[in-house]
Amino acid sequence: MKRFSACCFTSRISQFHSHWKHNQSQSQIMAGNVSGPSGSKGANILLNHDFSSGLNSWHLNCCTGYVISSQASAQGGISMESEVKYAVITDRKECWQGLEQDITDRISIGSTYTVSTCVGVSGLSQGSSDVQATLKLEYHDSATSYLFIGRTSVNKDSWEKLEGTFSLSTLPDRVIFYLEGPAPGIDLLIRPVEIYCSIPNNSTTSTRCVSTGDDNIIINPQFVDGLNNWSGRGCKIMLHDSMNDGKIVPKSGKFFASATERTQNWNGIQQEITGRVQRKLAYEVTALVRIFGNNVSTSDVRATLWVQTPDLREQYIGIANVQATDKDWITMQGKFLLNGSPSKVVLYLEGPPPGTDILLNNLVLKHAAKTPPSTPPDVKNVTYGVNVIENSNLADGTNGWFPLGNCTLSVKTGSPHIIPPMARDSLGPHELLSGRYILVTNRTQTWMGPAQIITDKVKLFVTYQVSAWVRIGSGSSGSQNVNVALGVDNQWVNGGQTEVSDDMWHEIGGSFRIEKQPSKVMVYVQGPASGVDLMVAGLQIFPVDRHTRFRYLKIQTDKIRKRDVILKFSGLDSGNYANTSVQVRQTQNDFPIGTCISRTNIDNEDFVNFIVKHFNWAVFGNELKWYWTEPQQGSLNYKDADDLLSLCLKHNIQTRGHCIFWEVDGVVQQWVKSLNNNDLMTAVQNRLNGLLTRYKGKFSHYDVNNEMLHGSFFQDRLGKDIRANMFKTANQLDPSATLFVNDYHVEDGCDTRSCPDKYIHHILDLQEQGAPVGGIGIQGHIDSPIGPIVCSSLDKLSILGLPIWFTELDVSSINEYVRADDLEVMLREAMAHPAVEGIMLWGFWELFMSRDNSHLVNAEGDINEAGKRFLTLKQEWLSHSHGHIDEQGQYNFRGFHGTYNVQVVAPSKKISKTFVLDKGDSPLVVSIDL
């Protein structure tokens, strides 16, 4: 940006006049030291205006600053309240250096804004110094303008009031407010700053002064002003005080509105909120809704945001959804955040089938309150490793057990005496099992089996491991699922399952956690078809101390992720070895740790900064999927993927291509489904040619056909060979890319369709058909992870000799400390396993995750406990060392693979060297000539 080093404002003011003449069609400025117009005072548009959160939301212009509190006094004729905070801006080398804040999304064209603050200076030996308030206006297609707001002259040891007003007739791409002015070396002192909308825009559009407080942003939210400010989105809207012969009346206020004569699901009631919401702030929507008509008693009602960007890109942001009824008003709630600066924003309701009216009684849109931070769960009285199941060894017959349903329980002998392997890895040395088992007969429903009530034995936020031996009786036709389930207040919770097709004993391993206080918890074993006998032995449910395993995993990680290094020095007299210090710092660990990103995310510079700082790989959430790049036949959209790829290339971030195809029927575009088989085969070939030719050499990996264990659309339509042919063609078009299979619930023991054995069989089947499968993708959308269960799956898959990646890892808990533990389990298990070669998180920023309560960074940029744990682990996986050269002229250490910097300080010189530590069995020797 262009700046001026002269301390005099004369040249700057002439610059303002020059830009004023050039840009008078773009903006207007009202300037002067005025007290501002009379009338009510609007909300302060500045964030952290009183420095109560330090300098958060403010930016320092090539200088430093801090905030202090002091007992204020009346100085400069200004009476101040006690214990105010003020900012001190120091290390100023130019007069323009000061404090600034981007206010682009908090101002409206045509409105008048009043600026008011008190300023002082420090370090002034004599005389006075000018302090000035300025706006910087940045335009995409023309030069940046600097617009004067107000100025005051400040003497040593005094506070002076600085005031001014401004108004813009059109909105630049960026508007930055800042304070500047004293000569270099003079500290600038700034009391709380106010910028408020003193004269709102009088136009008839919905634009108004932005509020960052608790005011409802929606105009006429309860329809007391009729339907003003509301409109129909492709349909009519009507105002009512009652409907349906008085059976429907408002729950709140006197009126409600209906969106009627709807012919599309997206038709509904809407309000434009352009200029009333700002980027990078979280907003919460609360609405009272119901439905009426068309013989529909229940239906989804959704709150959606339609956003148009300055380059005319359209975005649809889902905010909230609720199952509405025709019987009563239902509250719908949700949150959203805008990453970029939109040119237009519309909030609307949609969802029910055509012909069904959407009724809206009230809608509130406010800046969302910050969620209070979690507290660590109370685990003081938890006894880890102790089974909560009563009479698990059946020494007392079936006492403590009861049959769920009209089945019969009896005790028999002949089951395994050893604890199932996954439980043994958690429990360590343990006494043998009794060899007794429960035989369940007379089963007439799949859910019938042995059960216990364990309500008082499980604690909130504690992770429990589930383990058992199971077997089925003869007479079954085909494979049978067996499941350890929990009924938690009538909600089914999966405790693990396995598939049984023979008369052998099979291990069940799983886990669960309860995070809301239940009134009843029942555990039961179920699954096989009616008439099939079920046998259960050694059922254990025990709390797991996951931190105990972490110590073992650290040792394993050091073995496989580190290498010995010998720094060998020459050119130095041996008498100086002891006086020569060596400091080794690892600047980057080369192990791939990446994240999912989306096009909207990269409009938020805070999001981008976090990515660049903490991740070395990325994958696109939707932007490369076929339904995104070709939503309608022949209508191609690669711009979003191009933008994301450009960002990654700029910052040297490697990328995974997710995904070429997606085998699950529900996500295939309607136009693709409507094709006949010949045209479908052509479309598949065009997709391969178009995508892999366009991005040849750009993506390091591709997920070729996503979730083949859970879907079969292409195989059903085009035959079994199509899957292998997709791999073959992809490899021909881009031989440099590693081609992956990718599926979910592989690692957690809770889905028999994608257990490790089936995944292995699936991969071998593809390879037998000639598919060049180069990697195994485990998505990693996991709940309550247990290390030994995850490790067992990795061990099984590793027999294929292919690299394993966690491709979509996320964990979820309403408690941030528990979420942090879950994440640490997964990251440590991955780092400690030699077959795992990379980890991709499926996002990290609140409101941009596929699952609730899985984020590491809160919506407005605060790093939560899970995020702090992630960063702590990243630091742990950097190696640092310091010491002196030994008698052999060497310095030895062991470090993680990656990039290093060595600083050597000898008596007469200082040398710096960078080197890369790759994988290897023998020590790396680095020669350093002094």
Side-chain angles (χ1 to χ4, degrees):
M1 76 181 78
K2 188 174 182 181
R3 284 297 197 177
F4 298 85
S5 60
C7 298
C8 173
F9 287 118
T10 306
S11 62
R12 193 63 169 277
I13 293 172
S14 65
Q15 183 84 1
F16 295 154
H17 288 311
S18 172
H19 280 299
W20 163 243
K21 291 178 181 179
H22 178 71
N23 291 320
Q24 57 184 335
S25 63
Q26 294 181 312
S27 61
Q28 288 183 327
I29 188 74
M30 296 168 56
N33 290 333
V34 296
S35 60
S38 61
S40 62
K41 187 174 177 180
N44 194 345
I45 70 169
L46 290 173
L47 303 179
N48 189 27
H49 76 286
D50 58 358
F51 310 114
S52 58
S53 298
L55 290 176
N56 285 346
S57 303
W58 293 93
H59 178 70
L60 293 160
N61 257 333
C62 305
C63 51
T64 59
Y66 54 92
V67 173
I68 60 176
S69 299
S70 71
Q71 196 79 16
S73 59
Q75 298 189 50
I78 303 165
S79 179
M80 296 296 209
E81 296 178 3
S82 61
E83 289 298 331
V84 298
K85 293 185 177 182
Y86 63 89
V88 179
I89 313 304
T90 188
D91 295 332
R92 300 175 61 255
K93 306 295 191 298
E94 304 285 350
C95 67
W96 50 261
Q97 291 174 344
L99 194 62
E100 69 177 34
Q101 189 172 137
D102 189 331
I103 59 172
T104 311
D105 301 305
R106 284 167 267 155
I107 60 174
S108 303
I109 56 175
S111 297
T112 300
Y113 294 87
T114 296
V115 178
S116 179
T117 185
C118 289
V119 294
V121 293
S122 178
L124 187 67
S125 58
Q126 59 183 4
S128 63
S129 182
D130 285 343
V131 178
Q132 176 171 307
T134 306
L135 281 187
K136 181 170 72 171
L137 309 180
E138 295 182 356
Y139 299 94
H140 178 69
D141 55 357
S142 61
T144 297
S145 300
Y146 295 93
L147 299 178
F148 171 80
I149 299 174
R151 185 191 324 148
T152 190
S153 185
V154 185
N155 295 314
K156 179 183 177 183
D157 298 327
S158 71
W159 291 97
E160 298 293 342
K161 202 159 195 174
L162 192 163
E163 293 181 306
T165 60
F166 67 89
S167 177
L168 302 178
S169 61
T170 59
L171 197 61
D173 293 307
R174 287 187 77 203
V175 181
I176 298 172
F177 167 79
Y178 63 99
L179 295 161
E180 59 173 340
I186 304 297
D187 293 350
L188 173 59
L189 316 181
I190 306 168
R191 296 277 190 185
V193 187
E194 289 188 332
I195 301 180
Y196 58 88
C197 182
S198 51
I199 304 178
N201 176 357
N202 293 323
S203 70
T204 57
T205 69
S206 63
T207 302
R208 67 183 180 98
C209 297
V210 173
S211 170
T212 61
D214 293 330
D215 297 334
N216 189 0
I217 291 166
I218 296 297
I219 301 173
N220 189 25
Q222 291 189 292
F223 308 103
V224 295
D225 196 17
L227 295 173
N228 283 344
N229 296 100
W230 295 94
S231 61
R233 189 173 185 85
C235 61
K236 291 183 179 180
I237 60 171
M238 297 180 66
L239 184 69
H240 308 268
D241 56 12
S242 67
M243 277 180 69
N244 197 22
D245 298 326
K247 295 178 183 177
I248 300 176
V249 295
K251 184 174 182 178
S252 172
K254 298 180 179 180
F255 304 102
F256 62 92
S258 67
T260 188
E261 299 184 22
R262 299 173 61 254
T263 59
Q264 303 288 336
N265 292 71
W266 53 265
N267 296 156
I269 185 170
Q270 66 181 7
Q271 185 170 133
E272 184 176 347
I273 56 173
T274 309
R276 287 181 266 154
V277 289
Q278 67 185 71
R279 64 189 294 260
K280 301 200 298 184
L281 280 187
Y283 291 91
E284 185 169 45
V285 173
T286 305
L288 277 174
V289 297
R290 67 190 293 170
I291 58 173
F292 175 74
N294 200 29
N295 294 319
V296 176
S297 59
T298 63
S299 176
D300 277 345
V301 173
R302 300 188 295 272
T304 305
L305 210 64
W306 176 80
V307 178
Q308 187 178 62
T309 61
D311 61 358
L312 302 183
R313 179 188 282 116
E314 292 184 339
Q315 300 167 358
Y316 292 87
I317 301 172
I319 302 171
N321 69 81
V322 71
Q323 192 73 12
T325 76
D326 62 350
K327 302 293 189 298
D328 202 356
W329 295 98
I330 301 291
T331 299
M332 175 170 62
Q333 285 185 305
K335 293 182 180 181
F336 71 88
L337 178 142
L338 297 175
N339 286 302
S341 301
S343 59
K344 195 171 185 179
V345 186
V346 176
L347 173 64
Y348 66 98
L349 304 185
E350 61 172 338
T356 303
D357 293 352
I358 300 173
L359 310 186
L360 175 62
N361 184 198
N362 183 24
L363 198 152
V364 176
L365 171 59
K366 291 184 177 181
H367 180 211
K370 288 186 180 292
T371 304
S374 302
T375 56
D378 182 7
V379 294
K380 294 176 184 174
N381 298 319
V382 176
T383 307
Y384 294 109
V386 175
N387 192 4
V388 304
I389 295 296
E390 180 183 352
N391 188 26
S392 175
N393 64 6
L394 305 173
D396 196 13
T398 59
N399 189 43
W401 297 88
F402 64 89
L404 188 62
N406 296 321
C407 55
T408 303
L409 308 184
S410 59
V411 176
K412 303 291 181 181
T413 59
S415 59
H417 287 270
I418 61 169
I419 295 174
M422 288 183 281
R424 189 166 63 246
D425 288 345
S426 290
L427 293 170
H430 202 276
E431 64 182 18
L432 294 175
L433 299 179
S434 67
R436 292 182 286 267
Y437 65 91
I438 295 177
L439 172 64
V440 189
T441 56
N442 301 319
R443 300 177 63 255
T444 58
Q445 300 289 337
T446 58
W447 47 264
M448 289 183 177
Q452 280 196 24
I453 301 297
I454 58 171
T455 311
D456 297 330
K457 299 176 182 179
V458 292
K459 296 183 180 296
L460 295 185
F461 297 110
V462 173
T463 302
Y464 290 87
Q465 183 167 347
V466 179
S467 174
W469 290 112
V470 294
R471 181 180 168 186
I472 58 173
S474 59
S476 64
S477 57
S479 298
Q480 302 289 318
N481 278 1
V482 181
N483 167 230
V484 178
L486 293 103
V488 182
D489 290 343
N490 299 317
Q491 179 183 359
W492 177 76
V493 175
N494 189 351
Q497 58 183 315
T498 190
E499 189 174 82
V500 182
S501 60
D502 51 31
D503 60 355
M504 305 292 289
W505 287 97
H506 292 258
E507 177 183 14
I508 277 187
S511 63
F512 71 91
R513 184 170 57 235
I514 298 172
E515 300 197 344
K516 292 182 180 179
Q517 188 62 53
S519 58
K520 181 181 178 181
V521 180
M522 177 179 67
V523 60
Y524 57 104
V525 186
Q526 59 157 2
S530 62
V532 178
D533 293 347
L534 172 63
M535 291 164 258
V536 181
L539 176 62
Q540 297 201 64
I541 296 178
F542 55 92
V544 178
D545 181 5
R546 297 185 291 178
H547 289 263
T548 299
R549 183 170 170 85
F550 291 166
R551 292 189 284 273
Y552 161 77
L553 294 175
K554 286 182 181 181
I555 296 171
Q556 293 301 109
T557 300
D558 285 356
K559 287 180 181 178
I560 67 170
R561 305 294 178 194
K562 285 184 175 181
R563 183 181 177 188
D564 290 326
V565 181
I566 300 172
L567 302 181
K568 187 168 278 189
F569 297 92
S570 60
L572 183 68
D573 186 89
S574 60
N576 288 323
Y577 286 169
N579 298 322
T580 301
S581 65
V582 180
Q583 181 167 324
V584 181
R585 294 194 63 81
Q586 186 173 11
T587 56
Q588 181 177 328
N589 188 315
D590 284 350
F591 185 84
I593 297 181
T595 183
C596 167
I597 60 176
S598 297
R599 175 58 188 84
T600 59
N601 296 146
I602 65 173
D603 292 330
N604 185 336
E605 61 275 17
D606 298 334
F607 187 98
V608 172
N609 290 340
F610 195 94
I611 293 169
V612 172
K613 188 174 182 180
H614 300 298
F615 298 102
N616 52 14
W617 278 69
V619 61
F620 308 163
N622 292 303
E623 288 79 358
L624 210 65
K625 291 171 181 171
W626 195 6
Y627 65 63
W628 193 279
T629 62
E630 194 175 5
Q632 301 298 327
Q633 189 170 14
S635 177
L636 298 176
N637 167 33
Y638 288 113
K639 178 166 175 40
D640 294 332
D642 289 346
D643 289 349
L644 290 170
L645 189 58
S646 176
L647 176 85
C648 293
L649 291 172
K650 176 182 176 181
H651 294 288
N652 198 30
I653 295 172
Q654 292 195 68
T655 48
R656 302 192 75 252
H658 176 78
C659 50
I660 305 174
F661 299 102
W662 197 346
E663 190 71 279
V664 177
D665 184 277
V667 296
V668 178
Q669 309 95 298
Q670 191 57 47
W671 72 263
V672 173
K673 291 182 179 180
S674 68
L675 299 173
N676 63 43
N677 286 354
N678 288 336
D679 290 341
L680 177 58
M681 183 66 81
T682 300
V684 166
Q685 190 63 46
N686 290 341
R687 164 67 172 170
L688 285 161
N689 288 333
L691 184 74
L692 280 90
T693 301
R694 181 185 185 89
Y695 295 117
K696 185 174 183 179
K698 300 292 179 62
F699 289 99
S700 302
H701 298 173
Y702 278 107
D703 295 328
V704 177
N705 191 5
N706 199 36
E707 297 173 2
M708 288 182 278
L709 296 177
H710 290 89
S712 58
F713 171 80
F714 295 102
Q715 180 172 266
D716 291 344
R717 290 286 305 274
L718 301 175
K720 182 180 179 181
D721 292 346
I722 188 61
R723 291 177 166 180
N725 288 338
M726 288 173 173
F727 276 84
K728 293 175 188 177
T729 304
N731 180 246
Q732 291 166 4
L733 292 168
D734 190 352
S736 67
T738 304
L739 304 182
F740 274 70
V741 292
N742 192 49
D743 229 302
Y744 60 91
H745 287 327
V746 177
E747 77 288 0
D748 55 13
C750 72
D751 188 344
T752 57
R753 292 173 296 177
S754 52
C755 64
D757 290 340
K758 286 193 176 179
Y759 210 11
I760 291 168
H761 177 78
H762 168 63
I763 294 166
L764 290 173
D765 188 47
L766 286 169
Q767 290 177 329
E768 286 173 5
Q769 297 178 71
V773 179
I776 302 172
I778 300 174
Q779 291 184 7
H781 303 293
I782 191 169
D783 292 306
S784 315
I786 299 290
I789 295 177
V790 174
C791 184
S792 173
S793 298
L794 295 174
D795 287 344
K796 291 176 181 177
L797 291 170
S798 65
I799 67 168
L800 294 172
L802 295 173
I804 298 172
W805 279 60
F806 283 100
T807 55
E808 304 178 19
L809 176 63
D810 58 21
V811 294
S812 177
S813 173
I814 60 174
N815 186 290
E816 296 168 5
Y817 289 88
V818 176
R819 193 187 314 159
D821 284 348
D822 284 353
L823 183 63
E824 186 169 357
V825 167
M826 295 305 295
L827 294 177
R828 286 200 183 280
E829 291 293 341
M831 286 293 287
H833 201 286
V836 177
E837 295 191 7
I839 304 166
M840 305 295 295
L841 303 186
W842 201 242
F844 60 90
W845 201 284
E846 185 184 13
L847 302 182
F848 299 94
M849 306 285 292
S850 63
R851 292 206 290 169
D852 292 336
N853 304 310
S854 57
H855 55 282
L856 313 185
V857 179
N858 298 337
E860 295 181 3
D862 301 317
I863 300 173
N864 60 33
E865 288 301 323
K868 291 174 184 175
R869 187 77 61 86
F870 171 72
L871 298 182
T872 298
L873 287 170
K874 291 269 291 180
Q875 284 299 312
E876 180 184 315
W877 295 327
L878 291 175
S879 298
H880 308 305
S881 180
H882 62 88
H884 294 83
I885 299 176
D886 64 18
E887 294 177 352
Q888 285 74 43
Q890 297 180 171
Y891 183 81
N892 304 330
F893 74 97
R894 183 171 175 81
F896 287 103
H897 308 137
T899 305
Y900 285 81
N901 177 263
V902 182
Q903 295 281 345
V904 183
V905 180
S908 60
K909 63 179 68 176
K910 181 177 180 181
I911 289 178
S912 178
K913 183 179 180 67
T914 299
F915 69 92
V916 174
L917 177 59
D918 295 319
K919 296 178 183 178
D921 295 328
S922 60
L924 174 70
V925 178
V926 180
S927 298
I928 301 176
D929 185 4
L930 296 176

